């Protein structure tokens, strides 16, 4: 099977391209910004350039990559002038649409079997692939847009103080329609988790065209230390929340849960930046310590300072931090609106809680705090072992099995 992969932006698509190439199926990888020159890759790898040092994959054959930086110029310029915000988001929407138009015009010039695009940037290309009688795939790394909007609008009403912390909520009308149509037009839809699949089913996408293909993560620099643990009777249980401080990730429910514990018994550190003005945080002072956002490698080394990760997310297609924390040996408390149900085994490597359930969070934290040294060590080992099933190598194995089924 010869696959053309197309993604406007970065995210995880470089790893997908590399997996397809390693399996012998990559025809061409189209993207908006990729460093194809080896000398420039070497230069960027040694310098803290946020724009360039993550814009390539060392193992990927650059001869199969078509990079179109011009589609990101406005987005990158606006980010440097205005920071993250509406102007940048609109530029991203326009980038996706323009990039999709370009790829749809290029597809008829190639001999291929399958077109694989990513949500938001592949509607015209999917239609073109269909007209060429090729297999068309749309990948969703979050939930279907209608489910996302319902969930987040409900949350906005429940927590008006956090209203400005929500993203993935309001789209231009034409972009909204694009997000709705892509999974309907595609002959196959790839979902990043069982939660993503359920939102697709709820939107009316037929079950027989949905395949769950969880994302992978890079475990190279995550340190796992199955050392002896100082019992909790001598210190507080140390909890960690990582990510943007937004009610989309259920932060208010975690802070409400922290009201049930003495600081001598349970500590909470929050690593990330506030999305919006942060009005919702004002009533929770003293319940947590906020740390600035960290680079990936610094964060990986920081995991070892904690006992567990808590991510009571309302809406998370996958939740990369979940598997990263598990890899570091941290039990994880999270919700079913994430990769949680695919990887968390209650009492073994963490706890699953319903969304918006403060008491369930309290009970899970209490259960964790009640563990003795041997029990917590067992949970740490189980957490690490469960994460091993979600490395990019395991992703490539799953992808290979999926393609083998398609080729039958």
């Amino acid at each position: 099977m010869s696959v053309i992969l197309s993604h406007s932006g970065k995210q995880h698509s470089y790893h997908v391209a590399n997996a397809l190439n390693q399996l012998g199926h990559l025809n061409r990888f189209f993207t908006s910004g990729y460093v194809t020159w080896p000398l420039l890759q070497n230069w960027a790898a040694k310098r803290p350039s946020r724009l360039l040092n993550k814009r390539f994959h060392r193992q990927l054959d650059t001869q199969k990559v078509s990079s179109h930086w011009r589609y990101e110029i406005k987005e990158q310029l606006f980010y440097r002038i205005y920071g993250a915000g509406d102007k940048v988001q609109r530029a991203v929407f326009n980038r996706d649409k323009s990039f999709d138009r370009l790829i749809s015009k290029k597809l008829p010039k190639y001999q291929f079997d399958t077109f694989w695009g990513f949500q938001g940037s592949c509607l015209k290309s999917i239609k073109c692939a269909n007209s060429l009688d090729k297999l068309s795939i749309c990948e969703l790394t979050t939930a279907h847009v209608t489910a996302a909007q319902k969930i987040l609008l409900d949350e906005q009403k429940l927590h008006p103080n956090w209203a400005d912390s929500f993203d993935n909520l309001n789209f231009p009308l034409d972009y909204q329609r694009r997000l709705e149509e892509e999974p309907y037009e595609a002959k196959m839809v790839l979902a990043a988790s069982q939660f993503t699949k359920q939102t697709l089913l709820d939107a009316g996408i037929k079950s027989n065209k949905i395949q769950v293909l969880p994302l992978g993560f890079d475990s190279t620099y995550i340190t796992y230390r199955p050392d002896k643990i100082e019992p909790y009777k001598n210190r507080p249980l140390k909890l960690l929340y990582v990510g943007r401080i937004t009610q989309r990730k259920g932060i208010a429910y975690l802070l409400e849960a922290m009201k049930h514990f003495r600081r001598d018994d349970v500590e909470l550190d929050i690593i990330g930046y506030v999305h919006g003005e942060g009005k919702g945080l004002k009533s929770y002072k003293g319940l947590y310590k906020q740390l600035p956002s960290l680079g990936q490698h610094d964060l990986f080394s920081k995991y070892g300072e904690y006992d567990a990760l808590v991510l009571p997310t309302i809406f998370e297609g996958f939740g990369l931090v979940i598997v990263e924390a598990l890899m570091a040996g941290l039990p994880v408390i999270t919700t079913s609106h994430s990769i949680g149900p695919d990887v968390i085994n209650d009492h073994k490597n963490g706890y699953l809680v319903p969304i918006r359930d403060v008491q369930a969070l309290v009970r899970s934290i209490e259960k964790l705090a009640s563990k003795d040294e041997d029990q917590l060590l067992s949970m740490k080992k189980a957490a690490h072992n469960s994460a091993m099933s979600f490395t990019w190598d395991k992703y490539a194995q799953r992808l290979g099995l999926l393609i083998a089924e398609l080729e039958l």
Side-chain angles (χ1 to χ4, degrees), residues 171-184:
F171 300 99
L173 184 58
D174 62 335
Y175 199 83
Q176 169 92 17
R177 289 173 177 166
R178 163 181 292 268
L179 292 172
E180 292 172 355
E181 288 181 35
E182 284 171 340
Y184 283 101

Side-chain angles (χ1 to χ4, degrees), residues 60-211:
L60 182 56
D61 181 1
T62 57
Q63 298 299 313
K64 294 185 177 181
V65 180
S66 293
S67 178
H68 300 274
W69 281 98
R70 67 184 182 275
Y71 292 102
E72 288 196 35
I73 291 174
K74 183 181 288 188
E75 171 192 343
Q76 297 296 337
L77 182 62
F78 281 5
Y79 181 79
R80 279 155 181 74
I81 296 174
Y82 304 109
D86 291 341
K87 288 182 181 292
V88 173
Q89 193 61 68
R90 285 196 296 271
V92 170
F93 296 152
N94 289 329
R95 176 201 72 191
D96 283 354
K97 291 185 291 184
S98 299
F99 181 80
D100 183 26
R101 283 195 296 269
L102 171 74
I103 304 308
S104 66
K105 293 177 182 178
K106 286 182 174 291
L107 288 182
K109 302 175 184 178
Y110 285 82
Q111 295 294 322
F112 67 98
D113 302 306
T114 301
F115 169 80
W116 178 339
F118 292 77
Q119 63 189 125
S121 63
C122 62
L123 179 59
K124 286 184 177 295
S125 301
I126 284 172
K127 291 181 177 180
C128 178
N130 289 344
S131 71
L132 297 171
D133 198 26
K134 308 298 183 183
L135 174 62
S136 58
I137 297 175
C138 175
E139 179 174 355
L140 273 73
T141 55
T142 59
H144 189 275
V145 62
T146 54
Q149 289 174 326
K150 182 183 184 305
I151 293 166
L152 297 180
L153 281 170
D154 288 346
E155 197 63 27
Q156 203 172 49
K157 293 174 184 175
L158 290 169
H159 296 276
N161 283 346
W162 291 91
D164 65 350
S165 78
F166 293 91
D167 54 7
N168 292 315
L169 189 53
N170 298 309
F171 300 99
L173 184 58
D174 62 335
Y175 199 83
Q176 169 92 17
R177 289 173 177 166
R178 163 181 292 268
L179 292 172
E180 292 172 355
E181 288 181 35
E182 284 171 340
Y184 283 101
E185 292 288 342
K187 295 178 181 177
M188 175 181 290
V189 184
L190 294 179
S193 64
Q194 292 294 335
F195 170 62
T196 300
K197 178 180 179 178
Q198 187 58 54
T199 67
L200 287 162
L201 293 172
D202 293 343
I205 306 299
K206 294 180 180 179
S207 177
N208 61 2
K209 71 182 234 178
I210 304 172
Q211 292 283 345

